[in-house]
């Protein structure tokens, strides 16, 4: 998809479709007014007659408007309220995209100026429009014989009434495309089934990444190397699988040589059967998504590399498959982690924290400015926050706040859960330094408490994305979250620096 800026009067634009808002009590936007004058009041007549419902996202497609060069005009109502929430704005863009897809137009020109979205400027609306367009056009049919046609829409333009905004909008276009592509990569990795997307496959993707981007270098640790380092916890997860675990390190160098990197650590369980603590059968296919934390690290690094952000970022992926073969870890087994701490594995289905703790210890080697791990870690997180908001837990309140702010800034919400020391007691083990489960109460918090025992000396935060990384039901698929949040967090760090 090509994205461009366009200035000049709307009636003179040769486009397949202009997208023009109508707001409040049927008020014509500036662009709508200009078109209305050209076609001698036809738009206001239709609107007055009630052909366009006064609800956000309702549309009216008008072909061949008199004295208007564009082939079609799509009126879209922004509703009765003065301004839209980011959620309603997204829905509005989605309904426009659905019409553009159905009418098979090749290009479209959006006039976003007069769509008021709470606390957001034009540049933000453009960036968000690009992300929504990329989301709407995404299709995953690599594994179907009957593939959908490539989308006809290949160019989206943004009408500017005020040229002074063009440099901010250009930046927004670059960012929107980078985040859009990052999300798509994360979705595709998430959607791939466990028999294709194995730890080895993820490692190969990471190597390919380094080939395609000269700012990224990749290194992979195999099981032997992890054994020699002492990653007994991570290896206890892959022990029951024929697929070897991999620790994948992707190093993006956009900053100065000695700038402390931001480190992102992704849970990459390419399939989670639960191991010997086997999961029930219903819906188990969805455990192919248990590597969506890792996928978001890939997606974010892609976005960062495409934007050439002037910071250093390290992506670490703890990739393993959790299976119950004869070599599998058993409940009650005790392993020694890279940190030296011993762990009593009371439930082999709490495997995410077992791979992450060793990856987090390994991350210390990079002397990070901050470490953020991203994981589909607990079913309890879905009970706490549902499918709309990711959980943030941190040993540094300031870092949690930066992440929440990045979530607001990118409309990819996250909310903080507490992590007081009282919760740590739930992880007591009679036989080892700590247990890998803390009972039913506050499952998301005790999982984070477990991780906190391996990041005591670090500025660290944990994102539980169990509810936000994919949708179930008839539209089952990965969402590409939290690539927008993570990318915004890194954009904010880059901005702070300059
Ligand atoms: N990958 C799951 C968490 C999960 C479950 C994510 C359902 C999305 C939907 C994780 O490895 C797991 O199994 N967690 C257990 C932990 C428990 C054994 C303490 C859980 O949440 O039930
Ligand atoms: Mn599990
Ligand atoms: Zn899991």
């Amino acid at each position: 998809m090509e994205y461009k800026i366009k200035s000049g009067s709307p009636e003179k634009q040769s486009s397949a479709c202009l997208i023009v808002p109508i707001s409040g009590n049927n008020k014509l936007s500036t662009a709508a007014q200009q078109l209305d004058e050209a076609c001698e009041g036809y738009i206001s007549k239709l609107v007055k007659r009630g052909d366009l419902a006064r609800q956000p996202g309702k549309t009216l497609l008008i072909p061949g408007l008199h004295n208007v060069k564009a082939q079609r005009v799509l009126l879209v109502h922004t509703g009765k309220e003065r301004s839209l929430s980011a959620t309603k704005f997204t829905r509005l863009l989605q309904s426009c995209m659905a019409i553009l897809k159905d009418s098979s137009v090749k290009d479209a020109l959006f006039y976003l100026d007069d769509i008021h979205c709470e606390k957001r400027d034009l540049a933000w609306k453009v960036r968000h429009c690009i992300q929504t367009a990329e989301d709407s056009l995404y299709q995953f049919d690599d594994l179907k014989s009957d593939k959908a046609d490539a989308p006809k829409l290949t160019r989206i333009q943004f009408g500017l009434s005020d040229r002074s905004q063009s440099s901010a909008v250009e930046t927004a276009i670059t960012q929107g495309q980078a985040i859009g592509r990052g999300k798509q990569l994360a979705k595709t990795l998430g959607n791939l089934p466990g028999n294709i997307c194995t730890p080895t496959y993820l490692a190969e993707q990471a190597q390919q990444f380094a080939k395609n981007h000269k700012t990224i270098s990749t290194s992979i640790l195999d099981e032997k190397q992890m054994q020699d380092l002492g990653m007994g916890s991570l290896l206890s997860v892959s022990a029951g699988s024929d697929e070897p675990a991999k620790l994948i390190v992707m190093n993006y160098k956009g900053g100065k040589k000695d700038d402390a990197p931001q480190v992102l650590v992704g849970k990459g369980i390419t399939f989670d059967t639960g191991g010997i603590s086997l999961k029930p059968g219903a819906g188990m296919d969805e455990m192919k998504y248990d590597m969506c934390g890792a996928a978001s690290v890939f997606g974010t690094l892609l976005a960062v590399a495409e934007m050439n952000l002037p910071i250093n970022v390290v992506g670490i992926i703890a990739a393993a498959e959790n299976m119950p073969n004869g070599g599998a870890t058993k409940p009650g087994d005790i392993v020694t982690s890279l940190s030296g701490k011993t762990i009593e594995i009371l439930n082999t289905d709490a495997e995410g924290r077992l791979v992450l703790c060793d990856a987090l210890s390994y991350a210390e080697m990079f002397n990070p400015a901050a470490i953020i791990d991203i994981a589909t870690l607990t079913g309890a997180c879905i009970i706490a926050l549902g499918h709309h908001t990711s959980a943030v837990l941190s040993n540094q309140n300031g870092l949690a706040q930066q992440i929440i702010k990045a979530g607001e800034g990118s409309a990819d919400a996250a909310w903080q859960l507490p992590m007081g020391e009282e919760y740590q007691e739930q992880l007591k083990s009679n036989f080892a330094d700590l247990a890998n489960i803390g009972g039913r109460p506050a499952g998301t918090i005790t999982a984070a408490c477990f991780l906190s025992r391996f990041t005591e000396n670090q500025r660290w935060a944990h994102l539980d994305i169990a509810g936000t990384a994919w949708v179930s039901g008839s539209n089952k698929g990965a969402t590409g979250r939290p690539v927008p949040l993570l990318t915004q967090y890194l954009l904010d760090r880059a901005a702070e620096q300059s």
Side-chain angles (χ1 to χ4, degrees):
M1 179 77 68
E2 187 194 2
Y3 296 97
K4 281 173 76 177
I5 288 180
K6 194 91 204 196
S7 48
S9 19
E11 72 278 10
K12 293 190 186 125
Q13 307 299 331
S14 52
S15 165
C17 189
L18 309 181
I19 292 113
V20 176
I22 306 289
S23 61
N25 198 5
N26 289 339
K27 184 172 177 301
L28 302 197
S29 57
T30 316
Q33 249 167 37
Q34 285 168 290
L35 292 169
D36 195 45
E37 275 161 36
C39 69
E40 289 148 15
Y42 188 60
I43 291 182
S44 43
K45 191 170 133 194
L46 290 179
V47 167
K48 223 172 270 161
R49 199 164 75 182
D51 284 27
L52 177 65
R54 275 172 58 192
Q55 281 159 30
K58 291 288 182 188
T59 53
L60 178 65
L61 186 65
I62 318 171
L65 205 53
H66 185 59
N67 283 340
V68 170
K69 202 162 174 198
Q71 290 167 355
R72 302 165 190 78
V73 172
L74 180 67
L75 299 181
V76 56
H77 213 293
T78 66
K80 290 173 194 163
E81 260 131 67
R82 224 192 62 77
S83 90
L84 295 171
S85 64
T87 307
K88 290 215 176 78
F89 178 59
T90 310
R91 301 250 190 286
L92 178 148
L93 295 171
Q94 282 166 344
S95 53
C96 295
M97 285 306 299
I99 298 212
L100 294 177
K101 262 163 78 177
D102 289 348
S103 58
S104 71
V105 301
K106 292 201 188 69
D107 76 296
L109 171 50
F110 279 83
Y111 287 93
L112 297 175
D113 249 335
D114 283 335
I115 306 181
H116 297 284
C117 182
E118 280 160 11
K119 291 178 270 174
R120 318 287 189 174
D121 59 10
L122 179 64
W124 189 90
K125 289 185 283 187
V126 165
R127 187 176 108 175
H128 198 68
C129 184
I130 294 172
Q131 278 182 57
T132 311
E134 296 285 328
D135 274 339
S136 304
L137 298 172
Y138 174 81
Q139 48 202 32
F140 179 71
D141 53 13
D142 299 10
L143 304 173
K144 286 192 176 183
S145 316
D146 195 9
K147 300 195 195 319
D149 296 334
K152 299 246 170 20
L153 188 66
T154 52
R155 189 171 69 178
I156 290 180
Q157 305 190 95
F158 298 100
L160 280 197
S161 54
D162 177 2
R163 276 192 173 271
S164 70
Q165 287 174 309
S166 50
S167 102
V169 173
E170 287 291 2
T171 308
I173 290 178
T174 308
Q175 292 178 355
Q177 267 185 295
I179 298 169
R181 290 201 190 114
K183 269 179 102 173
Q184 292 197 337
L185 173 62
K187 285 188 197 182
T188 296
L189 290 173
N191 287 333
L192 283 169
N195 62 329
I196 294 176
C197 184
T198 59
T200 303
Y201 179 90
L202 288 177
E204 285 163 4
Q205 293 301 304
Q207 267 153 346
Q208 198 54 49
F209 226 51
K211 278 198 191 120
N212 297 345
H213 299 271
K214 60 176 187 300
T215 44
I216 296 179
S217 56
T218 292
S219 59
I220 317 274
L221 298 189
D222 62 18
E223 290 200 340
K224 167 83 173 48
Q225 290 165 304
M226 290 192 263
Q227 190 84 57
D228 293 346
L229 282 169
M231 296 189 162
S233 183
L234 191 154
L235 290 170
S236 76
V237 175
S238 61
S241 167
D242 291 343
E243 292 290 342
K246 305 280 175 188
L247 190 82
I248 302 167
V249 181
M250 292 176 281
N251 204 329
Y252 168 81
K253 286 226 161 275
K256 292 193 209 76
K257 195 166 158 283
D258 297 325
D259 287 350
Q262 298 286 335
V263 179
L264 305 177
V265 178
K267 171 178 173 182
I269 299 296
T270 57
F271 197 83
D272 180 14
T273 64
I276 295 299
S277 313
L278 195 64
K279 286 184 181 293
M284 207 209 270
D285 65 291
E286 297 195 0
M287 282 302 119
K288 72 173 182 179
Y289 293 117
D290 213 15
M291 36 57 71
C292 281
S296 75
V297 174
F298 269 101
T300 303
L301 280 175
L302 177 63
V304 165
E306 293 215 340
M307 294 185 295
N308 274 313
L309 285 193
I311 53 173
N312 295 330
V313 184
V314 176
I316 300 178
I317 285 159
E321 189 185 58
N322 189 19
M323 295 281 280
N325 78 14
T329 299
K330 302 167 291 297
D333 285 0
I334 294 176
V335 296
T336 304
S337 64
L338 177 58
S339 72
K341 287 186 175 153
T342 57
I343 303 165
E344 185 184 15
I345 300 176
L346 290 173
N347 189 322
T348 64
D349 197 11
E351 84 297 338
R353 61 198 80 180
L354 295 174
V355 296
L356 286 173
C357 70
D358 279 347
L360 287 165
S361 300
Y362 189 79
E364 289 201 10
M365 216 170 66
F366 295 92
N367 294 318
I371 306 181
I372 302 175
D373 76 76
I374 309 99
T376 48
L377 205 61
T378 61
C381 187
I382 309 177
I383 305 304
L385 295 173
H387 295 284
H388 306 297
T389 310
S390 306
V392 193
L393 300 101
S394 176
N395 60 8
Q396 302 251 331
N397 209 31
L399 179 59
Q401 292 309 316
Q402 287 178 335
I403 291 172
I404 291 166
K405 186 164 165 276
E408 280 168 11
S410 57
D412 183 5
W415 195 257
Q416 191 176 7
L417 294 180
M419 225 182 46
E421 59 183 337
E422 322 80 74
Y423 292 100
Q424 295 282 356
E425 288 161 23
Q426 288 174 238
L427 295 172
K428 275 208 178 108
S429 159
N430 288 347
F431 305 108
D433 297 339
L434 75 168
N436 79 324
I437 51 169
R440 269 173 65 80
T444 304
I445 297 174
T446 54
C449 284
F450 179 93
L451 298 176
S452 77
R453 303 280 273 272
F454 299 85
T455 53
E456 277 147 353
N457 310 316
Q458 301 295 322
R459 201 164 169 265
W460 158 81
H462 158 64
L463 277 166
D464 196 329
I465 58 166
T468 52
W470 76 91
V471 291
S472 307
S474 58
N475 283 326
K476 188 183 282 185
T479 59
R481 291 179 68 183
V483 169
L485 178 153
L486 293 169
T487 309
Q488 184 64 53
Y489 168 82
L490 295 172
L491 277 166
D492 292 346
R493 301 293 76 73
E496 248 171 24
Q497 200 183 261
S498 54

